[in-house]
Amino acid sequence: MSAELKAPRGTHDVLPDDAARRDAVEEAARRILGAAGYRRIETPAFEATELFARGVGASTDIVQKEMYTFEDGSGRSLTLRPEGTAPVCRAYVEHGMQKLPQPVKLWYLSSFFRYERAQAGRQRQFWQVGTEAIGSADPALDAESIVLLAELLDALGVRELRLRLSSLGTLETRAAYRQELQAYLHAHADRLSDEVRGRIETNPLRAFDADHPGTREAMAGAPLLLDRLTGEDAEHFAAVRALLDGAGLVYEVDATLVRGLDYYMRTVFEFTSDALGAQSGVGGGGRYDGLVEQLGGPATPGVGWAAGIERMLLAADAHAVAAPIVDLFVAYAREQDRAAGFQIAHEARRAGLGAQLELAGRSLKGQLKQADRIGARFVAILGEEGATVKDMESGEQHVVELGGVVHQVLRARRLS
Ligand code: HAM
């Protein structure tokens, strides 16, 4: 196949075995989140570009260089969603969900798009399962959110997990701290990387994230936001921690935790897996009490997280994937038995059995091999005298009329 026709760089096909593992993620999410009162929401794959510029933050990497933005036929600027929080908050406002009992707890499992350098665990189209709980500032909601993500990762067998936790305080605390940090960065500018120095005005917090040795050394002495939290913010953080401690969750307070989105305030957290390479972030989130208002809604607090499906599966124990159950494989040697075989398979499925008909023109021997390969429990071989129904486990077989095949399989299954 020519290179141009292959799936674009940074995207991948979800093949049947992968799809089966994803189904397991979806089932676990539905069970665990559903039990805590979360209900599914799905928003469109594209939104007005402005939603992300305002919601995610104009100075973030996502908005500055990672969005797939295009004009539609009417000249409107649209963007393939790079994340789910801004769209869910948009939907919350648009559908008047503030009138519902609060908090409104929502979850999603959708694909997202970021123009990033593609590598293992980092795609340009990727999938996230995420939650948003909107309408309560209670620290118990932060803790519940985190505990639910921990439970999901545990249920999926994600290995070598670490949880980092921090608090960003409120916008005011952050603004004052930002100035303090900028002053510090200016004073140590000669030791910083060009990239970090270039971002002192736009995104000083990213300096904590740098790999550059000089920058890392300089940052070791930098002031920490966590040490600047004021009364209520500090109380909120202490309450979240106490609830997590009570739940027995192990975490590390990391004052340098930086998230790539601007809407966070107070609690932020991230799960990483040492089983992954450079892209070790499995899932993360935090509180975003100003976001709904920023998008034109009433002042409304919220907290949530998202976890990457590909990364969770990469870091999870590879469970054996269940193949579809085949109760009956319908085989035939003569072309004229094909229509009867079609009817039998159809009737069997209507009776609740997993049933497949030979569809590739194999020899009878080849058909029996195929039945064995797909793990069929019974094979019906159609012929002149009706059908021979063979139990592939016991080897037992019975000759029945064509109209009696389904009945025979149901009976034999009941008896076994
Ligand atoms: P995020 O940290 O940007 O947060 O993404 C969450 C997770 O999505 C990451 O931890 C990672 O597993 C996965 N992910 C992100 N980018 C990629 C990529 N290019 N390829 C593969 N996986 C990726 C958010 O998106 C926030 N909306 C989370 C949130 C919800 N905060 C509050 N509510």
XYZ file of all heavy atoms in Angstrom, residues 83-85 108 114 116 121-123 126 128 131-132 259 261 263-264 281-286 288 304-308 311, ligand 1:
270
model
N -9.612 18.006 24.251
C -9.888 17.535 25.615
C -11.384 17.654 25.866
O -12.108 18.228 25.047
C -9.075 18.335 26.637
C -9.446 19.793 26.742
C -10.368 20.068 27.898
O -10.094 19.575 28.996
O -11.381 20.775 27.709
N -11.835 17.107 27.006
C -13.272 16.997 27.226
C -13.893 17.914 28.260
O -15.114 18.023 28.326
N -13.087 18.572 29.081
C -13.658 19.335 30.194
C -14.408 20.588 29.711
O -15.544 20.835 30.147
C -12.547 19.718 31.194
O -11.808 18.542 31.500
C -13.117 20.290 32.469
N -17.466 10.254 30.386
C -17.421 10.093 28.920
C -16.297 9.148 28.544
O -15.349 8.921 29.304
C -17.230 11.454 28.229
C -16.118 12.309 28.808
C -14.800 12.181 28.367
C -16.388 13.233 29.820
C -13.779 12.953 28.911
C -15.384 14.001 30.380
C -14.080 13.862 29.917
O -13.078 14.609 30.464
N -4.837 15.817 19.269
C -3.803 16.830 19.537
C -2.673 16.612 18.553
O -2.207 15.479 18.391
C -3.259 16.702 20.969
C -4.304 17.008 22.033
C -3.730 16.932 23.439
N -4.812 16.914 24.416
C -4.658 16.734 25.719
N -3.446 16.554 26.228
N -5.697 16.730 26.533
N 0.569 16.374 18.309
C 1.766 16.240 19.148
C 2.761 15.376 18.414
O 2.412 14.681 17.458
C 1.400 15.534 20.453
C 0.507 16.347 21.354
C 0.516 15.794 22.769
O 1.461 16.111 23.509
O -0.413 15.068 23.142
N 2.632 5.621 23.116
C 1.787 6.211 24.158
C 1.409 7.652 23.898
O 0.777 8.284 24.740
N 1.827 8.192 22.765
C 1.381 9.559 22.443
C 0.906 9.601 20.994
O 1.699 9.464 20.072
C 2.504 10.572 22.670
C 1.968 11.995 22.541
C 2.853 13.011 23.207
N 4.082 13.179 22.470
C 5.123 13.865 22.907
N 5.101 14.434 24.084
N 6.193 13.978 22.175
N -0.391 9.750 20.849
C -0.975 9.766 19.514
C -1.576 11.132 19.199
O -1.721 11.966 20.080
C -2.110 8.729 19.416
C -1.676 7.293 19.492
C -1.620 6.814 20.934
O -2.444 7.212 21.748
N -0.655 6.001 21.248
N -6.389 10.052 20.178
C -6.310 9.116 21.299
C -7.665 9.113 22.000
O -8.536 9.920 21.698
C -5.189 9.529 22.270
C -5.338 10.930 22.802
C -5.929 11.159 24.032
C -4.905 12.017 22.066
C -6.094 12.463 24.525
C -5.066 13.316 22.546
C -5.658 13.534 23.765
N -9.917 8.872 25.656
C -9.899 9.108 27.104
C -11.203 8.621 27.707
O -12.259 8.752 27.092
C -9.844 10.605 27.415
C -8.523 11.296 27.203
C -8.598 12.769 27.618
O -9.692 13.319 27.806
N -7.450 13.392 27.758
N -14.217 11.953 33.825
C -15.388 12.335 34.626
C -15.374 13.841 34.843
O -14.301 14.452 34.872
C -15.364 11.702 36.037
O -14.253 12.254 36.768
C -15.228 10.198 35.981
N -16.545 14.411 34.988
C -16.665 15.803 35.426
C -17.804 15.832 36.436
O -18.907 15.363 36.138
C -16.990 16.753 34.258
C -16.136 16.587 32.991
C -14.637 16.882 33.170
O -14.258 17.441 34.215
O -13.865 16.528 32.264
N 0.129 20.852 35.384
C -0.796 20.275 34.410
C -0.785 21.165 33.175
O -0.501 22.350 33.255
C -2.200 20.185 35.012
C -2.246 19.433 36.332
C -2.606 17.972 36.172
N -3.786 17.795 35.364
C -3.865 16.912 34.345
N -2.846 16.150 34.050
N -4.973 16.804 33.647
N -3.079 22.369 31.374
C -4.300 23.113 31.080
C -4.459 24.217 32.107
O -4.107 24.036 33.270
C -5.517 22.171 31.129
C -5.387 20.929 30.238
C -5.258 19.674 31.065
C -6.535 20.820 29.269
N -7.218 25.782 33.338
C -8.436 26.022 34.108
C -8.383 25.543 35.556
O -9.314 25.729 36.309
C -9.666 25.429 33.417
C -9.544 24.016 32.857
C -9.310 22.923 33.663
C -9.709 23.812 31.489
C -9.231 21.644 33.140
C -9.629 22.530 30.943
C -9.394 21.446 31.775
O -9.316 20.188 31.244
N -7.278 24.919 35.955
C -7.272 24.341 37.300
C -7.094 25.365 38.410
O -6.417 26.383 38.246
C -6.158 23.299 37.426
C -6.391 22.087 36.563
C -5.537 21.790 35.517
C -7.481 21.255 36.790
C -5.748 20.672 34.714
C -7.705 20.145 35.997
C -6.839 19.861 34.968
O -7.059 18.758 34.180
N 2.272 9.598 32.044
C 1.008 10.078 32.615
C -0.157 9.216 32.163
O -0.492 9.176 30.985
N -0.753 8.524 33.121
C -1.854 7.632 32.767
C -3.178 8.392 32.840
O -4.061 8.228 32.005
C -1.899 6.432 33.748
C -3.081 5.547 33.441
C -0.623 5.641 33.669
N -3.305 9.220 33.853
C -4.549 9.970 33.996
C -4.354 11.085 34.987
O -3.536 10.964 35.912
N -5.084 12.170 34.795
C -4.924 13.277 35.727
C -6.102 14.219 35.637
O -6.946 14.115 34.742
N -6.141 15.133 36.589
C -7.241 16.087 36.585
C -7.119 17.043 37.740
O -6.029 17.248 38.283
N -8.258 17.589 38.126
C -8.246 18.541 39.216
C -9.521 19.347 39.253
O -10.490 19.063 38.538
N -11.711 22.855 38.863
C -11.727 23.980 37.906
C -12.909 24.906 38.201
O -13.791 25.083 37.377
C -11.770 23.449 36.459
C -12.783 22.348 36.223
C -14.129 22.641 35.958
C -12.410 21.014 36.292
C -15.055 21.633 35.762
C -13.333 19.997 36.107
C -14.648 20.318 35.841
O -15.563 19.307 35.657
N -12.721 17.072 38.069
C -12.791 15.881 37.218
C -11.426 15.401 36.805
O -10.395 15.927 37.260
N -11.401 14.368 35.975
C -10.146 13.817 35.486
C -10.375 13.120 34.153
O -11.525 12.865 33.759
C -9.548 12.809 36.470
C -10.465 11.736 36.989
C -11.066 11.718 38.219
C -10.911 10.530 36.320
N -11.841 10.581 38.349
C -11.758 9.824 37.205
C -10.672 9.977 35.064
C -12.382 8.610 36.882
C -11.281 8.762 34.735
C -12.117 8.097 35.638
N -9.280 12.842 33.483
C -9.359 11.996 32.297
C -8.148 11.081 32.296
O -7.067 11.445 32.766
C -9.389 12.844 31.030
N -8.360 9.868 31.777
C -7.269 8.892 31.692
C -7.206 8.370 30.268
O -8.238 8.140 29.636
C -7.506 7.752 32.678
N -5.984 8.240 29.749
C -5.799 7.807 28.364
C -6.004 6.306 28.238
O -5.378 5.529 28.960
N -2.826 4.436 27.004
C -1.791 4.340 28.045
C -2.196 3.371 29.136
O -1.369 2.632 29.654
C -1.501 5.722 28.630
C -0.758 6.567 27.622
C -0.176 7.796 28.252
N 0.122 8.773 27.214
C 0.421 10.022 27.443
N 0.462 10.465 28.689
N 0.668 10.833 26.448
P -4.688 15.652 30.216
O -3.724 15.438 31.321
O -4.312 16.572 29.125
O -6.032 16.128 30.913
O -5.051 14.255 29.591
C -5.476 13.177 30.401
C -4.844 11.880 29.941
O -5.062 11.675 28.550
C -3.321 11.836 30.075
O -2.950 11.483 31.384
C -2.953 10.754 29.076
O -3.140 9.464 29.638
C -3.999 10.945 27.987
N -3.409 11.689 26.850
C -3.251 13.022 26.725
N -2.669 13.325 25.545
C -2.454 12.139 24.913
C -1.875 11.772 23.647
N -1.439 12.684 22.787
N -1.808 10.457 23.339
C -2.271 9.511 24.203
N -2.841 9.803 25.389
C -2.923 11.095 25.749
C -7.178 16.452 30.271
O -7.389 16.205 29.099
C -8.222 17.063 31.161
N -9.431 17.351 30.347
C -8.549 16.164 32.325
C -9.599 16.709 33.231
C -10.899 16.387 33.282
N -9.408 17.642 34.137
C -10.551 17.906 34.741
N -11.475 17.163 34.201
